[in-house]
């Protein structure tokens, strides 16, 4: 057989060989470093025997697949450690993830002391260096093995597989786990690891199933890499919006109100209002939108007409019972069907299109309690939602315009470099999830593909992530812990106009079905605020800050001048306060810095006599004395242009 390596060279063998033996034949160093391999592009275990011509790339810890294999092996070491220290724990699943690995157990919650003890046990297992041996069993023998070991979750997983399946296991010493692999050759390959946290999880992600305990960890091939990762994680904790947003008094939650229903304090509310006013002015004055205001709920009839009742009912808050109540209502999870009737309120001709509607929409979605986190996943949220009703010949250019508006918003917020673009497609293997014919889906997906290519936007394609009525562009970003969330979405809809009998009158007086673009310009306000908290670690651009200036009189003798400065700041619509506490000026400055206020204006005798302010900023430290009028002009221009000033020096 001929084995083509990734450098293009070819190895020929007269008999079948395992990937590990081929790596050893290439060099002992490669075999020692090997974690897994890719055979014709597919990830494979080192124990895999090759008996045909193929392309082979051996993966080390420097490759994503190799690092994932180290982490997957670490998850098995963790499982063995848990069984050693907590024999009654039941095993479920333990995959590698982007930031490390986790394993779910049916057991009581694990404390930090438990995690420390498990780390010590894992080190013993790794030091012993047991080989990981792969073996397979027929389905019924596999079931019997796991039943004998008292692992009911493994039995359930096996029974879900076809009856004729050969089930693979890995053995390390006395420990055996159900797994498809790949894995390292022995446990000593896990050279640097850390158990980072534990939390509750549901079996198979279903809140109706068993509550499990998930242990998170990470692993690397070198201790230096682990140390760098742990430092990044500490920085992530410092930036975590769920922690920092509460510390900065931007939002809070209360158990008696409910999970996923945040309360915004005056500071957080002010930030949300600044974002809202900006977006509404931007859309209405510069991008040609008309603004609507629609109900927060509707009868189930509306959602049945749109298809949401069949495709999305489980995610809705339903008010009433169809079997007993004459009318059943539901809180709206989206605005589109409401805005369709705004469009239909008057007859439209081809001259009236595109008809761009936008609304600051409060929506409700019945999220799983296990999925909710801070402001990124909530049950009530507000979104910059819009729907463009367009002629088919306008669709491509209007879709490009929606992308341009989204990019403008991202650039203004300073996050344009932090996003990835995704073409979310339908899954032809799951037809019941979607409406419409395959040719419509293929055509619309190709239009979006062509648009992104023409605009020079790199993108990936995700099968099965489309809305039930059409493909879309999802603009995603990762939070500080690496979890990816969709921030902005732009959807192509060639189907729902038919269901709502929407039309326009063309040049010939004929009724024609329009196309619809569902889009957000900035996305969800709550999720965007969470993103900005983490992006800027609470040090927001001046225009967004709930407190832009704090006036600091040196003593009570200058409180009158401080009040005069405050009055002039407010007259220019600058959010400012005065710190009149009987504290030393150094203390006041430190307090303002901790509050992440962009500008501090220190005022004393000279400032009062000469109409000056001593400016200290978050960006350049001591900026010296300036006439108050000059400072006002400068900060107003910074706010007007939404400038993002970078920190030049530490304030001293």
């Amino acid at each position: 057989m001929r084995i083509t390596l990734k450098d293009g060279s070819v190895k020929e063998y007269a008999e079948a060989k395992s990937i590990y033996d081929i790596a050893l034949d290439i060099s002992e160093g490669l075999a020692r470093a090997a974690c897994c391999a890719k055979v014709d592009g597919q990830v494979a275990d080192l124990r895999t025997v090759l008996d045909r011509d193929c392309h082979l790339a051996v993966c080390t810890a420097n490759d994503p697949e190799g690092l994932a294999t180290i982490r997957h092996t670490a998850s098995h070491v963790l499982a063995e450690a848990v069984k050693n220290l907590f024999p009654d724990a039941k095993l479920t699943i333990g995959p590698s993830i982007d930031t490390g690995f986790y394993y779910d157990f049916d057991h009581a919650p694990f404390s930090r002391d438990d995690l420390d003890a498990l780390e010590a046990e894992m080190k013993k297992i790794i030091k012993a260096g047991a080989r990981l041996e792969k073996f397979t069993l027929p389905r019924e023998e596999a079931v019997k093995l796991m039943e004998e070991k008292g692992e009911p979750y493994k039995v359930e997983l096996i029974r879900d597989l076809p009856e004729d399946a050969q089930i693979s296991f890995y053995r390390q010493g006395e420990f055996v786990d159900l797994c498809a692999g790949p894995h390292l050759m022995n446990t000593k390959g896990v050279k640097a690891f850390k158990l980072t946290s534990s939390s509750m999880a549901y079996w198979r992600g279903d809140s109706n199933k068993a509550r499990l305990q998930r242990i998170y960890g990470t692993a690397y091939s070198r201790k230096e890499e682990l140390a760098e990762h742990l430092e990044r994680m500490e920085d992530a904790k410092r930036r975590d919006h769920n922690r920092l947003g509460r510390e900065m008094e931007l939002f809070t939650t209360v158990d008696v109100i409910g999970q996923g229903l945040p309360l915004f304090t005056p500071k957080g509310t002010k930030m949300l209002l600044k974002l809202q006013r900006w977006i509404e002015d931007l859309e209405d004055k510069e991008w040609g939108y008309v603004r609507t205001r629609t109900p927060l709920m509707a009868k189930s009839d509306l959602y049945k007409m749109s298809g949401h009742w069949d495709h999305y009912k489980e995610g809705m808050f339903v008010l009433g019972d169809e079997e007993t109540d004459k009318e059943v209502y539901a809180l709206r999870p989206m605005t589109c069907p409401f805005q369709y009737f705004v469009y239909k309120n008057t007859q439209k001709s081809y001259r009236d299109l595109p008809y761009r509607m936008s609304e600051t929409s409060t929506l409700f979605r019945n999220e799983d309690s296990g999925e909710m986190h801070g402001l990124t996943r909530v049950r009530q949220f507000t979104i910059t939602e819009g729907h463009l009703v367009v002629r088919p010949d306008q669709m491509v250019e209007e879709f490009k315009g929606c992308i341009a508006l989204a990019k403008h918003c991202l650039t203004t917020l300073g996050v344009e470099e932090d996003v990835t673009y995704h073409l979310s497609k339908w899954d032809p293997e799951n037809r019941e999830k979607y409406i419409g014919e395959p040719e419509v889906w293929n055509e619309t997906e190709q239009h979006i593909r062509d648009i992104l290519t023409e605009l020079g936007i790199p993108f990936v394609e995700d099968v099965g992530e489309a809305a039930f009525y059409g493909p879309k562009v999802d603009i995603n970003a990762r939070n500080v812990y690496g979890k990816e969330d969709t921030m902005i979405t732009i959807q192509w809809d060639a189907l729902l106009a038919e269901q709502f009998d929407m039309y326009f009158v063309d040049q010939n007086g004929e009724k024609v079905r329009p196309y619809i673009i569902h889009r957000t310009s900035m996305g969800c306000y709550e999720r965007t605020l969470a993103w900005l908290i983490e992006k800027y670690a609470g040090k927001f651009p001046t225009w967004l800050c709930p407190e832009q200036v704090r006036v600091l009189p040196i003593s009570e003798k200058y409180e009158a001048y401080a009040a005069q400065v405050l009055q002039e700041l407010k007259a220019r619509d600058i959010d400012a306060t005065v710190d009149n506490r009987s504290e030393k000026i150094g203390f006041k400055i430190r307090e303002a810095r901790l509050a992440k206020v962009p500008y501090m204006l220190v005022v004393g005798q000279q400032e009062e006599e000469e109409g000056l302010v001593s400016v200290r900023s978050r960006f350049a430290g001591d900026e010296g004395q300036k006439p108050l009028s000059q400072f006002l002009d400068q900060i107003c221009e910074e706010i007007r242009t939404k400038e993002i000033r970078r920190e030049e020096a530490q304030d001293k």
Side-chain angles (χ1 to χ4, degrees), residues 182-247:
H183 281 289
L184 301 176
M185 298 301 287
N186 66 70
T187 60
K188 284 189 175 180
V190 182
K191 299 182 184 300
F193 74 94
K194 179 71 177 176
L195 299 183
T196 54
S197 64
S198 64
S199 65
M200 189 273 291
Y202 290 110
W203 172 231
R204 293 188 156 182
D206 186 341
S207 60
N208 296 314
K209 296 184 183 293
R211 292 166 64 97
L212 307 173
Q213 300 302 317
R214 176 171 296 176
I215 297 179
Y216 285 100
T218 193
Y220 287 87
S221 63
R222 297 188 301 114
K223 292 181 179 179
E224 295 81 2
E225 292 175 317
L226 175 62
E228 290 171 5
H229 171 81
L230 294 177
E231 177 55 37
R232 288 194 299 271
M233 293 300 291
E234 285 302 311
D235 182 59
K237 291 178 183 178
R238 290 189 288 268
R239 290 174 177 268
D240 185 345
H241 83 275
N242 206 17
R243 170 183 173 182
L244 186 55
R246 295 170 194 270
E247 290 177 355

Side-chain angles (χ1 to χ4, degrees), residues 459-498:
F459 65 96
V460 296
E461 300 193 13
D462 298 330
V463 175
E465 294 300 318
F468 69 85
Y469 48 77
K472 57 182 176 170
V473 171
D474 284 325
I475 303 176
N476 295 356
R478 294 185 183 276
N479 68 14
V480 289
Y481 296 109
K483 184 181 183 300
E484 191 170 70
D485 287 306
T486 297
M487 310 307 296
I488 296 172
T489 185
I490 304 166
Q491 303 174 358
W492 185 301
D493 177 5
L495 299 171
L496 287 183
E498 177 78 26

Side-chain angles (χ1 to χ4, degrees), residues 283 287-290 343 348-358 387-402 502-505 514-517 519:
E283 291 177 339
W287 289 81
Y289 283 80
V290 295
Y343 172 85
K348 304 292 191 299
S349 82
Y350 69 97
R351 299 178 187 275
D352 297 316
L353 304 188
Y355 191 73
R356 307 182 187 99
M357 296 173 285
S358 188
H387 296 89
L388 292 77
V389 185
V390 305
R391 302 193 309 263
D393 64 289
Q394 298 171 324
M395 188 66 166
V396 169
E397 288 306 311
E398 288 297 315
F399 203 91
K400 289 179 185 176
C402 291
M502 297 168 66
Y503 65 88
F504 65 92
V505 179
Y515 284 176
I516 302 166
I517 300 174
R519 49 100 273 184

Side-chain angles (χ1 to χ4, degrees), residues 301-317:
D301 305 52
L302 179 70
Y303 305 115
K304 289 174 182 176
M305 187 182 299
S306 67
H308 289 100
W309 198 255
D310 292 332
H311 294 273
Y312 204 79
K313 183 181 176 183
E314 294 303 315
M316 298 168 66
F317 287 101

